[in-house]
Amino acid sequence: MDSGSWLLTPEFMKSIVINGGRQLSGEVSISGAKNAALPIIAASLLCEGEHRIANVPSLVDVKTLTKILRNMGVTVELADHSAVIDSTKLANPEAPYDLVRTMRASVLVLGPLVARFGKARVSLPGGCAIGARPVNLHIMGLEKMGATIAIEHGYIEANAERLKGARIYFDIVTVTGTENLMMAAALADGVTILENAAREPEVIDLAHALIQMGAKIEGAGTDVIRITGVEKLRPMNYRVLPDRIETGTFVIAAAITNGSVIIRDCAPQHLDALLAKVAESGAEITLGEGTIRIVGSETIKPVNVKTLPHPGFPTDMQAQIMSLMCLAQGTSVINETIFENRFTHVAELRRMGADIVIEGGSAIVKGVPKLLGAPVMATDLRASASLILAGLAAEGQTVISRIYHLDRGYENIEGKLSALGADIKRV
Ligand code: EPZ
């Protein structure tokens, strides 16, 4: 394709081309966490005034949430990894389907809107490639806090005089469910107890931002979170924590290419389960202050993985470690317990020569001596990452289409990988 014509290609038609076989080396800096930035941006709906948020990653999902806030009448300035948000003039507490359907995490505006305005009209998020992803627990919690909720024409219509504190038990650990109700409880009348709450670092980061806003929250990071509602909150001035899934993806990139990489501006303490598995597979991992050093090993040992809520092995790293296991000397069993359909990357990895059999919720990965580059298709955010990782190690050229999935959750991944010596470009 000559240089000029690719300019005419709409973003979603672009592909990533990788010529595999390069060993990565050098240093890479990690961006702010997508899954902390999203709830923290939503928290700016809880009170008037100018909120300042730093280390915001430049991602499509962040831009989508920004559009949803602007659509409500909120002013949002996004520039150079920071956001300045003022929801004083919020006019209509509504999140429309055409925006929500592109990003399920938009449901995070529900709790703040009901807490501050006593009403909200938020489109039910559709399902997505990895599963049905219902939000029944979000709704159950708000109803326990006194909201009346109707589901009509694909929208959640919520109304409440003033939310009341309640004891809410999650029968399934839900990250955004915990976050939505923690935000709602911050302004409720009385004490709310969230039991079997999510313990992800991003939940803790949101709690820290809310506490800076004047919220009274204890126990974030444990499975029981206690929130004592207050009358009013004040604007935050908060810095988002590093993205542990981006970090984990680069850990695997170094291991799968038998490279030697230093990852900076990260939080190694949030990745114990992943780092333990990558070390078990033979890579040499050294932790420093906000840094991880990975040196790959010639032979990759098979490891068994079971995804679990934090601090267990993160489901968002399941596709990525599967790519590594495709090249292990032996058989690995990867059991996905969080989502019912998070193996869409398997068919694409098979196109590259991987030997994977799915048995119910587990993938049996028999290592092969090498993967071969091939044209493949991204199906969801983390599946895209697993295909890039496989392409880095494969012999020959891999072309990945539908990379709009990738841009939702990784900031300039091809730029960061090129800087580490990968032969990768977007066309
Ligand atoms: C968050 O999604 C993350 N997204 C996901 O990351 C991550 O995979 C997931 O947590 C699990 O860690 C954000 O934080 C924005 P859940 P979330 O509610 O909150 C079921 C990525 O790649 N469930 O913890 O939507 C649900 O179906 C994304 O960055 C209910 O049944 O996930 C799933 O099986 C992908 N009812 C399980 O719980 C509910 O009301 C965990 O889902 C809510 C959830």
Side-chain angles (χ1 to χ4, degrees), residues 58-101:
S58 173
L59 301 171
V60 168
D61 274 6
V62 169
K63 293 185 179 77
T64 302
L65 186 56
T66 302
K67 270 190 226 152
I68 288 175
L69 264 53
R70 286 190 181 126
N71 186 55
M72 295 180 198
V74 177
T75 54
V76 185
E77 279 137 53
L78 267 191
D80 186 27
H81 300 105
S82 70
V84 179
I85 305 175
D86 189 333
S87 62
T88 305
K89 298 196 181 64
L90 193 151
N92 64 315
E94 169 162 342
Y97 174 63
D98 60 324
L99 289 173
V100 172
R101 73 189 165 89

Side-chain angles (χ1 to χ4, degrees), residues 90-334:
L90 193 151
N92 64 315
E94 169 162 342
Y97 174 63
D98 60 324
L99 289 173
V100 172
R101 73 189 165 89
T102 62
M103 191 195 54
R104 320 174 19 72
S106 319
V107 73
L108 282 166
V109 303
L110 179 64
L113 290 174
V114 180
R116 176 159 162 224
F117 299 99
K119 64 179 170 44
R121 186 170 185 273
V122 175
S123 166
L124 268 176
C128 73
I130 61 179
R133 310 211 38 205
V135 289
N136 59 305
L137 297 174
H138 300 234
I139 290 167
M140 172 276 293
L142 288 172
E143 285 177 331
K144 279 203 187 258
M145 296 174 78
T148 47
I149 308 246
I151 310 275
E152 282 161 8
H153 310 294
Y155 276 80
I156 303 165
E157 309 260 2
N159 285 282
E161 276 310 300
R162 183 180 176 199
L163 292 174
K164 297 186 301 303
R167 181 182 163 282
I168 296 164
Y169 172 76
F170 296 110
D171 61 319
I172 299 179
V173 175
T174 163
V175 174
T176 50
T178 301
E179 292 165 346
N180 229 339
L181 293 164
M182 188 159 71
M183 289 190 278
L187 286 177
D189 179 13
V191 176
T192 297
I193 310 277
L194 303 182
E195 292 196 18
N196 199 23
R199 299 169 55 191
E200 271 67 7
E202 295 76 30
V203 172
I204 302 173
D205 217 34
L206 171 64
H208 288 164
L210 290 168
I211 289 165
Q212 194 192 63
M213 292 169 66
K216 292 186 171 43
I217 300 173
E218 296 156 275
T222 75
D223 59 355
V224 180
I225 303 178
R226 179 190 174 86
I227 305 107
T228 305
V230 295
E231 288 294 322
K232 263 180 89 59
L233 293 166
R234 57 179 180 271
M236 75 181 93
N237 187 350
Y238 194 75
R239 180 179 178 78
V240 172
L241 90 172
D243 193 314
R244 63 191 165 97
I245 305 302
E246 183 191 21
T247 305
T249 304
F250 279 98
V251 167
I252 303 273
I256 204 169
T257 58
N258 189 14
S260 171
V261 171
I262 292 182
I263 301 176
R264 296 201 171 287
D265 307 316
C266 67
Q269 67 277 18
H270 294 158
L271 278 167
D272 290 348
L274 174 89
L275 294 176
K277 285 295 169 186
V278 175
E280 188 187 331
S281 77
E284 184 196 308
I285 290 180
T286 317
L287 304 187
E289 191 57 39
T291 63
I292 300 174
R293 185 164 179 272
I294 311 100
V295 178
S297 72
E298 268 307 312
T299 56
I300 298 166
K301 298 188 196 101
V303 298
N304 295 332
V305 170
K306 178 173 185 161
T307 64
L308 289 167
H310 194 78
F313 189 94
T315 175
D316 290 352
M317 281 303 305
Q318 178 257 105
Q320 295 92 314
I321 200 159
M322 187 184 290
S323 294
L324 182 64
M325 288 303 110
C326 289
L327 291 168
Q329 295 202 346
T331 300
S332 309
V333 178
I334 298 180

